[in-house]
């Protein structure tokens, strides 16, 4: 049975609210660095009443130039590994932490489709990195199915799930 967009949105909002309450209690702040999700994680986070107490800022860096200028991703990293890679998403996470007042960051880059995929990086390939303080962000690759909306929605859900795991580990 396929969940309706409204129900799926309500689950995303519930995750954000739970996570935000934990951040608020711990007196920590979040920053996001997003590419293929276009700021969707930040949108869901800031829809939570009181999110100004735990959400610091968002970077939406779609192009190579934006990733380099806004987040400090080295041009060499982008040219060697591409925008959709472990190396790039880790640099995005580092940049979000170093260029904000946040304690935690989530960074996302991927191919949401319907075009842009390759044999090595098909549509639905997404890298997410989670960082805490001065520790090197950890990154994981995902392969989500569905249309552009479904891939982006699944990415947002996984971003919050990873943030919850990161916070529980610290």
């Amino acid at each position: 049975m396929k969940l309706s967009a409204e129900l799926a949105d309500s689950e995303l909002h519930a995750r954000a609210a739970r996570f935000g309450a934990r951040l608020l209690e711990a007196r920590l702040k979040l920053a996001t660095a997003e590419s293929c999700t276009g700021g969707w994680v930040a949108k869901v986070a800031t829809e939570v009443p009181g999110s100004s107490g735990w959400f610091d800022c968002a970077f939406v860096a779609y192009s190579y130039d934006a990733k380099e200028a806004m987040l400090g991703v080295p041009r060499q990293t982008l040219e060697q590994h591409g925008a959709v890679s472990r190396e790039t998403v880790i640099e995005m996470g580092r940049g979000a932490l170093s260029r904000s007042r946040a304690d935690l960051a989530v960074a996302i880059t991927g191919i949401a489709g319907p075009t842009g995929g390759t044999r090595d990086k098909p549509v639905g390939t997404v890298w997410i990195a989670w960082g805490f303080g001065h520790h090197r962000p950890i990154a994981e690759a995902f392969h989500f199915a569905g249309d552009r909306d479904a891939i982006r929605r699944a990415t947002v859900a996984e971003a919050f799930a990873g943030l919850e795991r990161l916070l529980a580990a610290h």
Side-chain angles (χ1 to χ4, degrees), residues 13 33 37 46 79-81 105 116 119 128 143 145 151 155 161 163:
H13 294 139
T37 48
T46 58
E79 290 174 356
Q80 275 188 332
H81 303 284
R119 179 183 291 189
I128 304 176
H143 299 281
I151 290 166
T155 301
L163 284 167

Side-chain angles (χ1 to χ4, degrees), residues 19 22-23 26 28 103-104 130-133 135-136 138 160-170:
F19 177 71
R22 292 183 60 208
L23 276 186
L28 298 172
D103 306 286
L104 288 92
W130 300 272
F132 190 100
H135 302 284
R136 183 174 193 254
I138 55 169
F160 278 109
L163 284 167
E164 290 171 3
R165 289 189 301 271
L166 181 65
L167 190 56
H170 286 85

Side-chain angles (χ1 to χ4, degrees), residues 3 14 16 21 35 41 55 68 78 96 103 115 122 130 134 145 150 152 154 160:
L3 297 177
S35 187
V41 174
F55 187 82
E68 185 177 19
L78 292 162
D103 306 286
T115 62
W130 300 272
H134 299 292
R152 290 165 40 121
F160 278 109

Side-chain angles (χ1 to χ4, degrees), residues 32-42 58-62 92 106 108:
T32 64
E34 300 181 64
S35 187
C36 68
T37 48
W40 198 342
V41 174
F59 301 89
V60 178
Y62 218 67
M92 290 172 66
V106 61
I108 298 166

Side-chain angles (χ1 to χ4, degrees), residues 84-169:
V84 181
S85 66
R86 172 185 298 276
E87 294 80 6
T88 294
V89 80
I90 287 171
E91 292 296 334
M92 290 172 66
R94 282 184 176 154
L97 286 167
S98 69
R99 295 171 184 228
S100 71
R101 293 180 183 236
D103 306 286
L104 288 92
V106 61
I108 298 166
T109 187
I111 305 165
T115 62
T118 66
R119 179 183 291 189
D120 293 334
K121 298 176 185 178
V123 168
T125 301
V126 176
W127 279 95
I128 304 176
W130 300 272
F132 190 100
H134 299 292
H135 302 284
R136 183 174 193 254
I138 55 169
E140 189 174 345
F142 297 88
H143 299 281
F144 298 117
D147 63 12
R148 184 175 183 81
D149 188 69
I151 290 166
R152 290 165 40 121
R153 188 177 304 278
T155 301
V156 173
E158 193 57 53
F160 278 109
L163 284 167
E164 290 171 3
R165 289 189 301 271
L166 181 65
L167 190 56

Side-chain angles (χ1 to χ4, degrees), residues 10-65:
S10 69
E11 176 55 30
L12 292 178
H13 294 139
R15 283 181 184 214
R18 283 191 308 270
F19 177 71
R22 292 183 60 208
L23 276 186
L24 195 58
E25 182 179 314
R27 297 179 184 227
L28 298 172
K29 296 249 183 189
L30 172 67
T32 64
E34 300 181 64
S35 187
C36 68
T37 48
W40 198 342
V41 174
K43 175 188 179 298
V44 171
T46 58
E47 286 175 343
V48 175
S51 59
S52 60
W54 56 270
F55 187 82
D56 185 51
C57 65
F59 301 89
V60 178
Y62 218 67
S63 69
Y64 275 27
D65 289 341

